[in-house]
Each structure stands twice: as C-alpha cells, then as structure tokens.
Amino acid sequence: MVFWFNSDRERGRVFAEAFARELPDLPLVTDISEHDPDEILYILTWTAPPDLHRFRNLKVVFSIGAGVDQFKSEILPPKVMLVRMVEDGIIRMMQEYVTLAVLALHRKLKAYVGQQADAVWQSVPVRQAAEQRVGILGLGMLAGAVIERLKPFGFPLAAWSRSERQVEGVECYHGQEGLTPFLARTDILICLLPLTQETEGLLDARLFETLPAGAALVHVGRGAQLDHDALIAALDAGHLSGAIVDVTEPEPLPPEHGFWRHPKIILTPHIASVTQPETAARAVINNIKRHRDGLDPIGLVDRERGY
Ligand code: NDP
Ligand code: OXD
C-alpha cells in the first residue's frame, strides 16, 4: 500500500524525507505508472485525477490547499474521505496577507502609490482605527486566525458565518438574515469563505450597495464568489473606495482584464497563502496516524456542506 504525492517536486522532496522518518512502512510515490492502482491508499493532490475510480482501495484524498471546491463530488466516490489542508504555514501567511491588505486600505496606500507616480506630495484623510469597521465573511480556521492578528489595531471587528458562533471581541452575525446588518456596519470587507453553491457570486452589485459609501474589499476566498464587473462598477461609481483582490475567475486573469490597470485595485496572483511543505507534511502524517487509529482526520470535509 502506498501514498501518492501528486504535486510539485520541491514539496515532494520535503514530504518524502518526513514520510521516511515518521511513516517508514508507508512508501511515498510520485510516479504511479509502475504501481497497481489497488496499491494506492492515500493521495495528496490539488485536483482529483479524472480516473480516480481506478483506485479501489483509496481511503483518503488530501487537498494540498485549504480550499476543496476544485474536487467535484461526481469524481470522488462517497466512501473516500476528503481532507482540506490545515497547517500552520497557510494560517500564518493568510494572517500576514490580510493584515497587510487591511492596513493598506486603512492607510490609503494605493492613493500614495498613485501620487508618487505623479510626484504629488499631499496627505489623504484617514480615519482612526476605532472608526474603521472591519467585517469578515466566514468565521472558520483562517478568519479566526486573521481576527487574532487584527485585534491589537483596535478596528471594530465583525464576522458572518453560516451557523451561530461567538468569538470574544467580535460582533458575530450568521445566516441570510444576518448578512444585511453585517454589511451595513462594515467599512473594510474581507471575504474568507469557501466556494460552495451558496457562496458562488455572493460578492455582487447588491452586496456592494449594502456596504456603506466608501467601503473597501479584500478578496481572498475564491474568484467565482466575485462578480468582477460589479466590483469595477462600484469602484468607478465611487461607492467603493478600493479593493485588494488575490483570487479571480479565471486564473490567471487575461491581460486585457480591467482589474490589471484599475487605479483602485491591487491585484495579486493567488498568493495570499501558500501551503508550506514542512508544516504540511507534519499535518498529513498526523492525519494518517489518526486515520490508522480510527479517528477522523483534522480538516475532514463535510461533503454535503461542501467545505
Ligand atoms: P473553514 O472551512 O475553516 O471556514 C469556512 C467559514 O465559512 C465557516 O465559518 C463557515 O461557516 C463559513 N461559511 C461557509 N459557507 C457559508 C455560507 N453559505 N454563509 C455564511 N458562512 C459560510 O475555511 P478556511 O477558513 O480554512 O478557508 C476559507 C477559504 O479560504 C478556503 O475555502 C479557500 O477558498 C480560501 N483560501 C484562499 C487562499 C488564498 O491564497 N487566497 C489560501 C487558503 C484558503 P460555519 O462556521 O457556520 O461553518
Ligand atoms: C488554498 C489556496 O486553498 O491556495 O490553499 O487557495
């Protein structure tokens, strides 16, 4: 029985070392062409291989990323567990990126970059942090970690989730009925939602209208959650003041897309957070040990909910 590492060579090297040390009885293979499909017990991958049904003894598919929307349920047999990546490196990088983005919007960084290009020496009015209301769509692993980093700045914090939750120092909203009041009190909106049928297209013109005038967006969820034209329209109309976008649909964004050169958008190529091999290998090894002990892996996806 083997573990199939179906990802990049560099991370594969780190995983192979960790597996040889921690799980010497489970060979890690990167090329399965020499193996009987029945030998494959675990797969680590970004997307499900289309011929997954060949692996009749497959028990767990580990996503190399925290998001699992790329695993279409028709491809994944119901008996196979799907596990998202829960590891310290992803968490830390998302904390860094969102903190950077919130501060950049709060302190009007994009305006100063524009002014520098035009040799303009002029201050732009800013609010105090206590008046800058930050709201996070999603209150899961990453949103919770981001909140811990944002707390010391003194922004009034709120979050929106599917189920009712309580987090100290955070105004918590949930469900469809909680969305409008959550948006109405949010000056900097961060999207950290998984992509599901319910969240696809959520960031649309109506949602932007519900935000207070001058609000800004940080989008780090998934591209398909955002109506790209609606964002440009809300920025051009002056209702929104800025956006920092890390995920788009499609990726990469074509060179002629309006986001590239928009004066109020900072665009990054889906790098907010990247799985780190050392910590990820530790997380996957721990989950294999849990699975062998009959415990649920950490990050087990609820296939019904889609995250
Ligand atoms: P989690 O599964 O831990 O949390 C998801 C949160 O979203 C939960 O709080 C959940 O609510 C909430 N949610 C889901 N559906 C809805 C809905 N319909 N209405 C309201 N709330 C909803 O996810 P993570 O924090 O680990 O990751 C979030 C996403 O971030 C990933 O799925 C991925 O798409 C994205 N990501 C982006 C990266 C990047 O580099 N840009 C890197 C890593 C992840 P509840 O608490 O009630 O379940
Ligand atoms: C992830 C991502 O899901 O990179 O980890 O977006």
Side-chain angles (χ1 to χ4, degrees):
M1 290 300 174
V2 301
F3 177 99
W4 178 21
F5 182 92
N6 184 33
S7 189
D8 61 288
R9 189 185 291 230
E10 181 48 31
R11 282 192 283 208
R13 195 186 47 72
V14 176
F15 265 73
E17 275 173 29
F19 268 63
R21 201 170 52 240
E22 302 281 338
L23 290 174
D25 59 331
L26 181 66
L28 178 147
V29 298
T30 52
D31 175 6
I32 55 161
S33 58
E34 303 282 292
H35 290 268
D36 181 338
D38 285 356
E39 286 178 57
I40 311 295
L41 202 57
Y42 304 104
I43 303 179
L44 179 105
T45 186
W46 173 245
T47 52
D51 54 355
L52 208 69
H53 59 273
R54 288 196 303 134
F55 309 117
R56 290 181 303 175
N57 292 318
L58 181 64
K59 297 282 184 264
V60 185
V61 169
F62 293 99
S63 168
I64 189 100
V68 290
D69 52 281
Q70 64 280 23
F71 293 93
K72 302 294 169 228
S73 51
E74 18 344 323
I75 295 179
L76 220 56
K79 68 176 173 61
V80 174
M81 290 187 201
L82 176 60
V83 178
R84 70 204 171 87
M85 187 56 77
V86 176
E87 65 93 5
D88 294 347
I90 284 196
I91 296 173
R92 186 179 40 74
M93 288 187 75
M94 189 57 84
Q95 288 176 315
E96 289 171 0
Y97 185 95
V98 175
T99 304
L100 177 78
V102 167
L103 292 178
L105 291 166
H106 173 54
R107 297 302 302 266
K108 314 284 185 206
L109 191 66
K110 181 80 173 162
Y112 288 112
V113 171
Q115 285 190 183
Q116 182 180 348
D118 298 334
V120 174
W121 186 276
Q122 188 178 293
S123 67
V124 178
V126 287
R127 295 177 184 181
Q128 291 304 296
E131 295 157 6
Q132 188 78 274
R133 298 161 298 176
V134 173
I136 308 187
L137 291 165
L139 192 38
M141 171 181 83
L142 296 175
V146 161
I147 284 169
E148 287 313 306
R149 282 290 174 279
L150 291 179
K151 270 183 181 172
F153 293 105
F155 301 114
L157 298 171
W160 180 70
S161 54
R162 207 168 68 118
S163 50
E164 191 170 354
R165 301 201 171 270
Q166 288 186 344
V167 177
E168 209 190 317
V170 180
E171 247 179 84
C172 292
Y173 298 81
H174 70 279
Q176 218 35 55
E177 64 291 355
L179 184 58
T180 300
F182 162 79
L183 294 170
R185 56 71 64 207
T186 293
D187 300 308
I188 296 180
L189 179 69
I190 301 157
C191 179
L192 255 172
L193 288 167
L195 178 61
T196 63
Q197 273 178 3
E198 288 78 40
T199 66
E200 185 167 353
L202 183 74
L203 303 174
D204 64 2
R206 221 169 47 162
L207 180 142
F208 296 140
E209 276 163 25
T210 314
L211 291 167
L217 173 72
V218 177
H219 186 35
V220 279
R222 282 289 183 264
Q225 290 160 341
L226 174 67
D227 179 336
H228 297 39
D229 292 342
L231 175 61
I232 291 181
L235 290 166
D236 289 348
H239 182 63
L240 294 189
S241 58
I244 298 190
V245 177
D246 181 58
V247 285
T248 61
E249 182 64 38
E251 290 179 2
L253 212 49
E256 66 281 5
H257 195 278
F259 282 4
W260 286 109
R261 278 162 283 276
H262 198 285
K264 293 181 180 170
I265 294 179
I266 293 176
L267 181 65
T268 54
H270 198 147
I271 47 70
S273 180
V274 180
T275 298
Q276 297 302 303
E278 284 82 8
T279 34
R282 222 176 295 147
V284 172
I285 288 167
N286 181 43
N287 266 339
I288 289 173
K289 289 180 178 171
R290 287 177 69 91
H291 182 247
R292 286 176 166 183
D293 291 343
L295 299 170
D296 276 347
I298 293 166
L300 180 63
V301 172
D302 178 336
R303 305 275 297 276
E304 202 54 31
R305 264 183 353 185
Y307 67 96

